[in-house]
Amino acid sequence: QLVESGGGLIQSGGSLRLTCEVSGLSVRNTYMSWVRQAAGEGLEWVAVIFGGGSTYYANSVKGRFTLSRDNSRNTLDLQMNSLRVEDTAVYYCVREVHDYAGIAGFDPWGQGTLVTVSS
Amino acid sequence: ETVMTQSPAALSVSPGDRATLSCRASQSIGTNLVWYQQKPGQAPRLLLYRTSTRATGVPARFSGSGSGTEFTLTISSLQSEDIAVYFCQQYDNWPFITFGQGTRLEIK
């Protein structure tokens, strides 16, 4: 189970920290991502952290967002700085499934947390 | 970046009829394609991965096909609970994943 928190209303240029509380699996051994969805829009992959700790980011957030994890708390954190109006979206925490043959999609998904950036 | 284009944007199908949704990649992605279902007010749900493998608990009426740049999600006999938005996702350029814009499936 994945439970996101930390969303809210923030002014452009501000910062927010999203947290994903993970149960039933260990973040230490898992590929975990954030995916966002603006209202009425499609899905956009934001960032991933590998089991080994490497991180990758979408170009739209690179240099502004930082993904980390806390193995002791079994949580995932997304630090979002220099927020822009276009970052307004529901942010989902997801596990990236890998099986014997490779990638098997994002499952499960959290319920999402809404980030609203005002101008 | 691999751009994923879904068509149609919206589809209206009668209960019991077949629904066919398309997804096109801007470059070849092999069979590195996933489909998700998103019902109103809910998070997306994994449907199919590796183009055609159903996720746990997904009914057999959902099937996927294709390779390279052209992919299809087929619902063989539409049920009312299948009303949702369906998204395709490529992971050929992993970890830089991209999604299609979605197809809204409605009951006629």
Side-chain angles (χ1 to χ4, degrees):
Chain A
Q1 184 181 9
L2 310 176
V3 179
E4 303 94 335
S5 61
L9 176 62
I10 188 77
Q11 277 200 320
S12 179
S15 298
L16 271 181
R17 189 177 186 88
L18 305 184
T19 296
C20 175
E21 296 184 14
V22 180
S23 58
L25 57 98
S26 171
V27 296
R28 183 199 324 255
N29 304 317
T30 306
Y31 295 83
M32 299 292 298
S33 282
W34 287 88
V35 174
R36 67 184 181 183
Q37 184 174 34
E41 301 292 329
L43 301 166
E44 181 186 16
W45 171 78
V46 173
V48 62
I49 185 165
F50 288 5
S54 300
T55 53
Y56 295 87
Y57 301 91
N59 287 336
S60 58
V61 307
K62 195 171 183 179
R64 300 187 297 124
F65 289 13
T66 302
L67 178 54
S68 62
R69 70 182 181 213
D70 186 324
N71 293 336
S72 62
R73 292 166 52 225
N74 211 37
T75 59
L76 201 64
D77 290 317
L78 184 68
Q79 178 65 42
M80 306 186 297
N81 298 330
S82 303
L83 282 163
R84 305 168 180 168
V85 171
E86 55 264 36
D87 294 320
T88 296
V90 173
Y91 284 72
Y92 294 102
C93 175
V94 298
R95 178 189 63 166
E96 187 175 290
V97 181
H98 289 240
D99 63 12
Y100 66 96
I103 296 165
F106 288 151
D107 182 58
W109 294 61
Q111 85 288 351
T113 186
L114 176 61
V115 172
T116 303
V117 185
S118 66
S119 56
Chain B
E1 174 181 302
T2 304
V3 177
M4 307 301 292
T5 303
Q6 293 186 241
S7 61
L11 181 63
S12 186
V13 176
S14 298
D17 284 357
R18 177 185 301 263
T20 303
L21 289 68
S22 297
C23 177
R24 173 177 293 179
S26 60
Q27 59 193 46
S28 179
I29 59 170
T31 57
N32 297 319
L33 187 94
V34 181
W35 289 96
Y36 298 92
Q37 175 193 64
Q38 186 177 33
K39 296 184 178 181
Q42 297 184 15
R45 168 200 179 195
L46 176 65
L47 273 186
L48 302 169
Y49 58 94
R50 221 164 281 133
T51 295
S52 59
T53 304
R54 281 188 296 276
T56 302
V58 174
R61 64 180 180 273
F62 290 89
S63 63
S65 63
S67 67
T69 61
E70 301 285 342
F71 300 86
T72 300
L73 170 67
T74 301
I75 307 172
S76 59
S77 177
L78 189 73
Q79 308 294 306
S80 58
E81 62 263 31
D82 300 334
I83 299 313
V85 180
Y86 291 83
F87 294 95
C88 62
Q89 172 207 58
Q90 69 80 24
Y91 54 89
D92 188 65
N93 191 30
W94 182 79
F96 302 101
I97 287 162
T98 52
F99 293 88
Q101 80 280 16
T103 291
R104 184 177 304 276
L105 183 57
E106 302 167 343
I107 288 281
K108 185 182 290 183

